Amino acid sequence: MKFVKRISEDVTKTMTAKENMGLIHVACIGYFYMLAVSSLSSLLFIAFPAIYRDEESYFFHMICAMFIFINMIGNQILGASYKSFYTNGLLLPNPPKSWILCLSCQQHCPPRSHHCPVCRVCVLKRDHHCYFFKTCVGIRNLRYFLPYSFYVGFGSIYTIVQMLSYLNYSYYPVEASFTSLFYYTYPGALYSYFWSKENLFNLNKFICLTVTYGCGMTGFASSFYFLSELFLLIRGQTIYEFGKDIRRYNLGWWKNVRVVLWPWSILYFLVPLPLPTREINAPWGIPKFVKGV
Ligand SMILES: [Zn+2]
Ligand SMILES: [Zn+2]
């Protein structure tokens, strides 16, 4: 009876943890899409018509904003679709020296693989679990994570600059003074809406101010992620290997970059390309001999 009770308690705990993880994923992906759509629409319909009066400048910035948006969304979809799971492995009698035994999955995994406690599977060349992709960043989707984090960072900075130009023009001058700082906080905006004689604040400006704050937080985090992943890519390491100072898989910076971004290299940063990675054939990719054993 006690044994049954303990098992049911464990199952309930596991279910709750799974539901919590599901909620975190929904919150992160929901936040990303909400911020992306609200940034694009407030740029196109509020900020640009006010600051770019001539058709040419409006058209140029509209193309810029759409380009960033397409790259962000495209890489998020591809990154979430290309999973790096390794689920059909076996327990080998004589595994190669560098292989890892995963007790949770009861299988031997190629080097650089790690078990993800969130995905609950082994992940090939695991880097980290990405809540915005709802999966781990590994061998198949690092090539999408790099442009994704780049465009989220760049798009956030671009949006902040445009929003501040709009607010500077139509709300309050952006300057290094206490009054300006106060007006760009929510209490300052509320004061301007209810009590200020000029009554400059309205719903459009509230949306722009909120988008600026959202982009500020997101831009800082994603720029940090992009720069650190670029640093690791050049060194030929994952986050885990960097922590343990493992340099065994370093092929030289050019080859490290090429192996991940093969065959279109810089084009991955210009257009989201759904192409399978060749790195899957590397010693840390899917082992060939396991098939058909
Ligand atoms: Zn595992
Ligand atoms: Zn994971």
Side-chain angles (χ1 to χ4, degrees):
M1 234 2 224
K2 264 184 186 173
F3 180 67
V4 172
K5 198 182 166 195
R6 198 179 298 161
I7 285 180
S8 65
E9 273 174 8
D10 282 354
V11 168
T12 321
K13 264 187 200 170
T14 316
M15 285 305 286
T16 321
K18 216 176 174 182
E19 280 161 17
N20 287 346
M21 285 304 162
L23 276 176
I24 297 172
H25 286 133
V26 169
C28 287
I29 296 171
Y31 170 76
F32 164 68
Y33 274 92
M34 249 175 64
L35 187 65
V37 171
S38 55
S39 297
L40 183 72
S41 45
S42 50
L43 282 172
L44 294 185
F45 303 116
I46 304 172
F48 289 168
I51 48 179
Y52 302 115
R53 297 295 176 89
D54 61 302
E55 222 169 76
E56 223 169 77
S57 309
Y58 180 86
F59 188 72
F60 172 76
H61 282 280
M62 188 186 82
I63 297 290
C64 281
M66 294 294 290
F67 174 75
I68 296 168
F69 184 78
I70 289 167
N71 273 286
M72 247 168 34
I73 303 292
N75 284 303
Q76 195 275 338
I77 293 169
L78 289 172
S81 314
Y82 281 80
K83 298 188 194 306
S84 310
F85 296 163
Y86 182 62
T87 49
N88 57 350
L90 298 166
L91 272 175
L92 303 169
N94 295 309
K97 218 178 171 185
S98 53
W99 280 47
I100 297 142
L101 168 67
C102 177
L103 290 172
S104 309
C105 304
Q106 289 291 298
Q107 63 178 7
H108 279 103
C109 301
R112 310 184 88 179
S113 301
H114 291 284
H115 185 85
C116 173
V118 182
C119 300
R120 290 160 188 268
V121 287
C122 287
V123 178
L124 293 167
K125 198 191 168 192
R126 181 174 186 266
D127 193 81
H128 67 279
H129 184 88
C130 178
Y131 287 92
F132 294 91
F133 279 5
K134 201 181 172 249
T135 188
C136 270
V137 172
I139 198 164
R140 283 196 179 96
N141 54 1
L142 178 62
R143 54 165 59 182
Y144 304 118
F145 183 77
L146 285 159
Y148 169 73
S149 51
F150 171 78
Y151 278 107
V152 174
F154 178 68
S156 299
I157 296 164
Y158 176 79
T159 309
I160 292 169
V161 171
Q162 301 299 333
M163 289 297 157
L164 288 181
S165 318
Y166 165 70
L167 292 169
N168 175 61
Y169 163 78
S170 60
Y171 172 50
Y172 199 84
V174 181
E175 55 193 25
S177 70
F178 176 77
T179 325
S180 177
L181 279 176
F182 174 66
Y183 271 112
Y184 280 89
T185 61
Y186 284 113
L190 268 178
Y191 168 78
S192 169
Y193 184 71
F194 286 110
W195 298 289
S196 167
K197 280 175 197 161
E198 291 92 14
N199 194 18
L200 292 167
F201 207 72
N202 58 24
L203 181 66
N204 278 358
K205 283 156 202 168
F206 172 76
I207 294 169
C208 290
L209 193 66
T210 308
V211 164
T212 309
Y213 276 119
C215 287
M217 285 192 311
T218 315
F220 179 76
S222 52
S223 304
F224 170 76
Y225 256 101
F226 170 69
L227 291 174
S228 49
E229 283 298 342
L230 189 68
F231 171 74
L232 292 174
L233 173 74
I234 288 166
R235 283 168 65 98
Q237 285 178 312
T238 60
I239 291 177
Y240 175 84
E241 289 156 7
F242 177 73
K244 298 271 175 187
D245 199 26
I246 300 169
R247 300 296 305 268
R248 206 178 304 153
Y249 306 104
N250 183 11
L251 308 165
W253 75 271
W254 177 238
K255 273 193 175 173
N256 292 337
V257 173
R258 262 190 59 187
V259 82
V260 172
L261 297 177
W262 185 93
W264 300 106
S265 56
I266 200 77
L267 277 182
Y268 288 103
F269 283 83
L270 297 176
V271 60
L273 293 163
L275 292 167
T277 177
R278 235 195 200 183
E279 204 184 359
I280 212 77
N281 300 321
W284 50 86
I286 291 182
K288 287 191 178 78
F289 68 85
V290 169
K291 282 180 189 167
V293 171

